[in-house]
Amino acid sequence: MRLCNFVNGQWSKPLHGQYRNIVNPATGEALWDVPQSSREDLNLAVAAAKSSFSSWRLVPAPKRGEMLFRVGQMLLERKAELAAMMTQEMGKVLLEAEGDVQEGIDMAFYMAGEGRRSFGQTTPSELPNKFSMTIRDPIGVAGIITPWNFPMAIPTWKIFPAIVMGNTVVFKPASETPRLAYELVKILEEAGVPGGVVNLVFGSGSEIGEALIRHPDVALISFTGSNETGRHVAKVTGGELKRTSLELGGKNAIIVMDDADLDLAIDGIIWSAFGTTGQRCTACSRLIVQEGIYDTLRERLKERMEKLTLGSGLDKRTDVGPLINKQAVEKVKKYIKIGTDEGARLEMGGTVPQDPALAAGNFFLPTLFTDVSMEMRIAQEEIFGPVLSMIKVKSLQEAIEANNRVTYGLSSSLFTRNVNQAFEAIRDLATGLIYINAGTTGAEIHLPFGGTRGTGNGHRESGTAALDFFSEWKAIYVDYSGRLQRAQIDD
Ligand code: NAD
């Protein structure tokens, strides 16, 4: 099967006719071919989005929202089928793939409702016979650039608020996961979103992504991906004063205090560290443990890790699927060497599995390092694989300091039964997401999502925060006094 671009309402082949093959990371099996588009394809998509903007911005927002209700309904009907495609394409286990699609469904229904809300403010004027209010205005063409690890959820976090606010879209999905992007745009088309409003161009980051961020007719860029690419995007768009939202990496920690419910903490750690094979931006890669419970937790965690089953995510028995590709396996191997060289103790894993049944896939054993200190690179840098580093601390204050002493600030979690400690941590943990007695993952779509420091540039996705990125505030004053009234000057 060959996927197509979607430009100006037409499913079209790339102008230069080039494709590349997508491979199942669990089996090495060839799946489908994806266009390797050129700048010319991208330029056509931007031109379509630009010309559609003038009519789309005038479609009443409730009507735009109704289209998203239909999108949500279709996603719901096709949830199982879409989840299976996702597992084939990027490896996460079926249950998690269903969760990924569900996030898109939730976002569709939530943003559909924004078509009838999008509240502004009415507020008194300081002058008599004068009325003041604010409304949201769409901005123009939104360039949407997404990673491969949430192939349905992340595009919906961006495209749905963008279009309900009246913007038009050029969408460049991750090179590794084109299929879900293709299915999502087909659903948008079937739900009645007019041609030209959402355009889809497949291709590499260096060719299509780069052309998109540099295009003068693209008014805003919403990017999710690695810190390195994000910094590059910021440099390019910053020079043009282009509105840019960056959602980047994480080095998230779970803190376990001596008084924690250990069974619950271990469930949270396993789910957060090894779910999606550690390839979530919110994955837990640091385990900060109070000294009284450290040895017990380490031993009990190892027992649970022993029981994790590796395999294809389509197999119901599988707990941990493959990494996305061979480069990811090499990157994880590199960090195993770095950690060992730095003096951390490799307690478990640290290698690819020896099982011949897994040889064709990009598998890596769930890995635990202990005796890790905060300065080590494995405690500072995003590995994006099933590698967990255990750090021992004496007190909550020391744990919070360790949590905050990394360049990322996405998610953190604390297991304790002490409500005072919990609220102290909520006050002092410097991350965009905080979980008490739950792991580092599990955001809900109606709350703001994003991180501090190196995780981004201060914007938030999800909830009403997303509307702030995809719209411009307009302040309006209506003077019905019939005379010139000067604010700050006339009494
Ligand atoms: P990546 O940075 O390699 O790629 C992300 C996207 O950027 C892809 O679509 C890619 O093609 C594109 N791209 C690459 N070069 C580009 C360029 N020069 N100009 C424009 N676009 C370009 O990231 P990835 O490997 O796909 O994703 C994994 C990363 O994403 C991890 O660091 C993870 O933590 C992060 N992530 C963050 C969040 C969040 O919300 N904070 C969510 C998921 C993933």
Side-chain angles (χ1 to χ4, degrees), residues 316-329:
K316 289 230 156 39
R317 290 164 302 183
T318 297
D319 299 303
V320 182
L323 289 165
I324 184 71
N325 52 32
K326 299 273 177 249
Q327 295 93 292
V329 176

PDB file of all heavy atoms in Angstrom, residues 316-329:
ATOM      1  N   LYS A 316      -1.320 -10.366  23.359  1.00  0.00           N
ATOM      2  CA  LYS A 316      -1.916  -9.910  24.637  1.00  0.00           C
ATOM      3  C   LYS A 316      -1.000 -10.168  25.840  1.00  0.00           C
ATOM      4  O   LYS A 316      -1.123  -9.528  26.879  1.00  0.00           O
ATOM      5  CB  LYS A 316      -3.267 -10.587  24.862  1.00  0.00           C
ATOM      6  CG  LYS A 316      -4.337 -10.084  23.910  1.00  0.00           C
ATOM      7  CD  LYS A 316      -5.603  -9.697  24.666  1.00  0.00           C
ATOM      8  CE  LYS A 316      -6.484  -8.695  23.985  1.00  0.00           C
ATOM      9  NZ  LYS A 316      -6.671  -8.779  22.568  1.00  0.00           N
ATOM     10  N   ARG A 317      -0.069 -11.143  25.701  1.00  0.00           N
ATOM     11  CA  ARG A 317       0.804 -11.464  26.843  1.00  0.00           C
ATOM     12  C   ARG A 317       1.959 -10.472  26.991  1.00  0.00           C
ATOM     13  O   ARG A 317       2.670 -10.456  27.976  1.00  0.00           O
ATOM     14  CB  ARG A 317       1.400 -12.864  26.668  1.00  0.00           C
ATOM     15  CG  ARG A 317       0.382 -13.980  26.824  1.00  0.00           C
ATOM     16  CD  ARG A 317       0.914 -15.270  26.268  1.00  0.00           C
ATOM     17  NE  ARG A 317       1.265 -15.108  24.848  1.00  0.00           N
ATOM     18  CZ  ARG A 317       1.715 -16.071  24.062  1.00  0.00           C
ATOM     19  NH1 ARG A 317       1.921 -17.261  24.529  1.00  0.00           N
ATOM     20  NH2 ARG A 317       1.996 -15.841  22.774  1.00  0.00           N
ATOM     21  N   THR A 318       2.174  -9.641  25.974  1.00  0.00           N
ATOM     22  CA  THR A 318       3.340  -8.755  25.975  1.00  0.00           C
ATOM     23  C   THR A 318       3.153  -7.569  26.929  1.00  0.00           C
ATOM     24  O   THR A 318       2.123  -6.907  26.918  1.00  0.00           O
ATOM     25  CB  THR A 318       3.598  -8.223  24.544  1.00  0.00           C
ATOM     26  OG1 THR A 318       3.896  -9.330  23.715  1.00  0.00           O
ATOM     27  CG2 THR A 318       4.739  -7.232  24.506  1.00  0.00           C
ATOM     28  N   ASP A 319       4.203  -7.333  27.729  1.00  0.00           N
ATOM     29  CA  ASP A 319       4.218  -6.132  28.578  1.00  0.00           C
ATOM     30  C   ASP A 319       5.049  -5.029  27.929  1.00  0.00           C
ATOM     31  O   ASP A 319       4.759  -3.852  28.069  1.00  0.00           O
ATOM     32  CB  ASP A 319       4.855  -6.444  29.944  1.00  0.00           C
ATOM     33  CG  ASP A 319       4.093  -7.499  30.702  1.00  0.00           C
ATOM     34  OD1 ASP A 319       2.891  -7.293  30.930  1.00  0.00           O
ATOM     35  OD2 ASP A 319       4.691  -8.546  31.048  1.00  0.00           O
ATOM     36  N   VAL A 320       6.159  -5.423  27.288  1.00  0.00           N
ATOM     37  CA  VAL A 320       7.101  -4.436  26.758  1.00  0.00           C
ATOM     38  C   VAL A 320       7.363  -4.738  25.278  1.00  0.00           C
ATOM     39  O   VAL A 320       7.849  -5.818  24.933  1.00  0.00           O
ATOM     40  CB  VAL A 320       8.437  -4.479  27.544  1.00  0.00           C
ATOM     41  CG1 VAL A 320       9.402  -3.426  27.024  1.00  0.00           C
ATOM     42  CG2 VAL A 320       8.189  -4.276  29.036  1.00  0.00           C
ATOM     43  N   GLY A 321       7.022  -3.782  24.437  1.00  0.00           N
ATOM     44  CA  GLY A 321       7.226  -3.938  22.991  1.00  0.00           C
ATOM     45  C   GLY A 321       8.647  -3.540  22.593  1.00  0.00           C
ATOM     46  O   GLY A 321       9.524  -3.362  23.442  1.00  0.00           O
ATOM     47  N   PRO A 322       8.868  -3.376  21.294  1.00  0.00           N
ATOM     48  CA  PRO A 322      10.200  -3.022  20.802  1.00  0.00           C
ATOM     49  C   PRO A 322      10.479  -1.523  20.912  1.00  0.00           C
ATOM     50  O   PRO A 322       9.558  -0.728  21.103  1.00  0.00           O
ATOM     51  CB  PRO A 322      10.119  -3.417  19.329  1.00  0.00           C
ATOM     52  CG  PRO A 322       8.671  -3.180  18.992  1.00  0.00           C
ATOM     53  CD  PRO A 322       7.880  -3.547  20.211  1.00  0.00           C
ATOM     54  N   LEU A 323      11.727  -1.152  20.718  1.00  0.00           N
ATOM     55  CA  LEU A 323      12.081   0.255  20.495  1.00  0.00           C
ATOM     56  C   LEU A 323      11.730   0.587  19.043  1.00  0.00           C
ATOM     57  O   LEU A 323      11.512  -0.297  18.217  1.00  0.00           O
ATOM     58  CB  LEU A 323      13.568   0.472  20.767  1.00  0.00           C
ATOM     59  CG  LEU A 323      13.969   0.381  22.251  1.00  0.00           C
ATOM     60  CD1 LEU A 323      15.475   0.236  22.396  1.00  0.00           C
ATOM     61  CD2 LEU A 323      13.480   1.596  23.027  1.00  0.00           C
ATOM     62  N   ILE A 324      11.706   1.879  18.734  1.00  0.00           N
ATOM     63  CA  ILE A 324      11.181   2.300  17.431  1.00  0.00           C
ATOM     64  C   ILE A 324      12.051   1.836  16.264  1.00  0.00           C
ATOM     65  O   ILE A 324      11.536   1.450  15.219  1.00  0.00           O
ATOM     66  CB  ILE A 324      10.942   3.839  17.384  1.00  0.00           C
ATOM     67  CG1 ILE A 324      10.304   4.267  16.065  1.00  0.00           C
ATOM     68  CG2 ILE A 324      12.236   4.621  17.627  1.00  0.00           C
ATOM     69  CD1 ILE A 324       8.882   3.860  15.891  1.00  0.00           C
ATOM     70  N   ASN A 325      13.375   1.866  16.415  1.00  0.00           N
ATOM     71  CA  ASN A 325      14.233   1.462  15.289  1.00  0.00           C
ATOM     72  C   ASN A 325      15.630   1.069  15.797  1.00  0.00           C
ATOM     73  O   ASN A 325      15.902   1.135  17.001  1.00  0.00           O
ATOM     74  CB  ASN A 325      14.317   2.578  14.226  1.00  0.00           C
ATOM     75  CG  ASN A 325      14.701   3.922  14.843  1.00  0.00           C
ATOM     76  OD1 ASN A 325      15.440   3.966  15.835  1.00  0.00           O
ATOM     77  ND2 ASN A 325      14.199   5.003  14.283  1.00  0.00           N
ATOM     78  N   LYS A 326      16.483   0.689  14.873  1.00  0.00           N
ATOM     79  CA  LYS A 326      17.831   0.213  15.252  1.00  0.00           C
ATOM     80  C   LYS A 326      18.660   1.334  15.899  1.00  0.00           C
ATOM     81  O   LYS A 326      19.443   1.087  16.812  1.00  0.00           O
ATOM     82  CB  LYS A 326      18.588  -0.293  14.002  1.00  0.00           C
ATOM     83  CG  LYS A 326      17.915  -1.454  13.305  1.00  0.00           C
ATOM     84  CD  LYS A 326      18.349  -2.791  13.901  1.00  0.00           C
ATOM     85  CE  LYS A 326      17.627  -3.947  13.260  1.00  0.00           C
ATOM     86  NZ  LYS A 326      16.659  -4.643  14.136  1.00  0.00           N
ATOM     87  N   GLN A 327      18.482   2.562  15.405  1.00  0.00           N
ATOM     88  CA  GLN A 327      19.239   3.686  16.001  1.00  0.00           C
ATOM     89  C   GLN A 327      18.886   3.852  17.482  1.00  0.00           C
ATOM     90  O   GLN A 327      19.749   4.174  18.295  1.00  0.00           O
ATOM     91  CB  GLN A 327      18.950   5.023  15.290  1.00  0.00           C
ATOM     92  CG  GLN A 327      19.390   5.104  13.855  1.00  0.00           C
ATOM     93  CD  GLN A 327      18.269   4.703  12.910  1.00  0.00           C
ATOM     94  OE1 GLN A 327      17.877   3.539  12.867  1.00  0.00           O
ATOM     95  NE2 GLN A 327      17.761   5.652  12.156  1.00  0.00           N
ATOM     96  N   ALA A 328      17.601   3.627  17.810  1.00  0.00           N
ATOM     97  CA  ALA A 328      17.191   3.741  19.214  1.00  0.00           C
ATOM     98  C   ALA A 328      17.871   2.660  20.047  1.00  0.00           C
ATOM     99  O   ALA A 328      18.302   2.916  21.182  1.00  0.00           O
ATOM    100  CB  ALA A 328      15.669   3.643  19.324  1.00  0.00           C
ATOM    101  N   VAL A 329      18.000   1.449  19.502  1.00  0.00           N
ATOM    102  CA  VAL A 329      18.683   0.367  20.230  1.00  0.00           C
ATOM    103  C   VAL A 329      20.145   0.767  20.465  1.00  0.00           C
ATOM    104  O   VAL A 329      20.679   0.616  21.577  1.00  0.00           O
ATOM    105  CB  VAL A 329      18.600  -0.965  19.446  1.00  0.00           C
ATOM    106  CG1 VAL A 329      19.396  -2.056  20.166  1.00  0.00           C
ATOM    107  CG2 VAL A 329      17.148  -1.390  19.252  1.00  0.00           C
TER     108      VAL A 329
END
